[in-house]
């Protein structure tokens, strides 16, 4: 599986390249800025890309902007954002950009190589992966928001949905029955005014798109 790495930290980029190579990926390009990443994505059309949020020259949002541009030029390009910070506006913008193949993980919270590789493979396969801390901050809403109508259990289910978990995993994590999971999901979509979708990925995108549209 071919991969592109967009990371200006030399040591981290070297580590990622070595990790990916050992996991069976072929790193076809390593770049240090957003413009170079877009060019590499168009040239190599990789199966997955790893992108930092803050890159030269301003170290603000170059990575996300480049990711959005790369997906515009290479529709469906799977991208995993690996960031030092929770940038909620950027997370929702990328997640709602187009269906599938997106992820957002925090560098300091990636504690196991196996979990990172699994997340990368899921993104490459069209799935959605989000760090629980990103999900938590996305669900921190302003007053009088429809999210406030959700029960504590429904918020737990929604958080797991936003991480890309399927109904079976949600049932196991929360120690409830399959029918209870389905009931909670139905209630969530009803309270948020969203229609249930068959695909786990599409339902995550629907939730994220809703959260994004309701941001101040």
């Amino acid at each position: 599986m071919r991969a592109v790495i967009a990371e200006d930290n030399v040591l981290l980029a070297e580590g990622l390249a070595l990790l990916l190579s050992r996991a069976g990926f072929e790193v076809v390009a390593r770049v240090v800025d957003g413009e170079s990443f877009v060019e590499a994505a168009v040239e190599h059309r990789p199966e997955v890309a790893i992108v930092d949020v803050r890159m030269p020259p301003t170290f603000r949002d170059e990575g996300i902007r480049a990711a959005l541009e790369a997906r515009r030029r290479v529709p469906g390009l799977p991208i995993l954002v690996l960031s030092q910070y929770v940038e909620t506006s950027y997370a929702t913008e990328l997640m709602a950009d187009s269906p599938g193949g997106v992820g957002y993980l925090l560098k300091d919270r990636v504690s196991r190589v196996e979990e990172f590789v699994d997340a990368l493979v899921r993104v490459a396969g069209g799935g959605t992966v989000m760090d629980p801390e990103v999900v938590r901050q996305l669900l921190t809403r302003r007053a009088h928001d429809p999210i406030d109508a959700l029960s504590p259990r429904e918020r737990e289910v929604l958080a797991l949905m936003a991480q890309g978990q399927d109904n079976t995993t949600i049932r196991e994590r929360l120690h409830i029955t399959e029918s209870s999971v389905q009931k909670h999901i139905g209630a969530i979509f009803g309270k948020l005014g969203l229609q249930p979708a068959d695909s786990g990925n599409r339902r995550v995108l629907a939730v994220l798109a809703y959260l994004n549209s309701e941001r101040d």
Side-chain angles (χ1 to χ4, degrees), residues 105 115 118-119 122 127-132 135 156-174 178 181 185 189 197-205:
L105 298 179
E115 291 180 354
D118 177 67
R122 287 170 61 188
T128 302
V129 178
M130 295 186 68
D131 189 289
V135 174
E156 290 178 328
V157 171
L158 179 58
L160 290 171
M161 288 170 57
Q163 293 174 37
Q165 306 298 341
D166 59 20
N167 286 12
T168 299
T169 302
I170 294 174
R171 173 179 61 80
E172 294 173 348
R173 292 276 187 90
L174 299 181
E178 184 77 18
V181 174
I185 291 175
F189 279 106
D198 294 332
S199 162
N201 187 55
R202 282 185 295 164
R203 71 182 185 179
V204 168
L205 291 173

Side-chain angles (χ1 to χ4, degrees), residues 91-197:
T92 51
E93 185 173 2
L94 179 62
M95 294 289 178
D97 175 57
S98 57
V102 289
Y104 196 116
L105 298 179
L106 298 178
K107 295 177 180 177
D108 291 343
R109 288 169 56 85
V110 177
S111 58
R112 295 179 57 195
V113 171
E114 296 83 1
E115 291 180 354
F116 175 75
V117 172
D118 177 67
L120 197 60
V121 170
R122 287 170 61 188
V123 169
T128 302
V129 178
M130 295 186 68
D131 189 289
E133 178 61 20
V134 177
V135 174
R136 187 189 69 78
Q137 294 201 28
L138 284 173
L139 295 180
T140 301
R141 310 297 296 160
R142 55 184 170 80
H144 309 298
D145 192 282
I147 285 288
D148 294 335
L150 300 183
S151 69
R153 177 64 83 185
E154 289 164 356
R155 291 174 68 90
E156 290 178 328
V157 171
L158 179 58
L160 290 171
M161 288 170 57
Q163 293 174 37
Q165 306 298 341
D166 59 20
N167 286 12
T168 299
T169 302
I170 294 174
R171 173 179 61 80
E172 294 173 348
R173 292 276 187 90
L174 299 181
H175 305 290
I176 57 179
T177 65
E178 184 77 18
S179 60
S180 294
V181 174
Q182 295 174 352
K183 179 180 178 181
H184 288 313
I185 291 175
I188 289 167
F189 279 106
K191 291 178 181 179
L192 299 184
L194 297 170
Q195 294 300 314

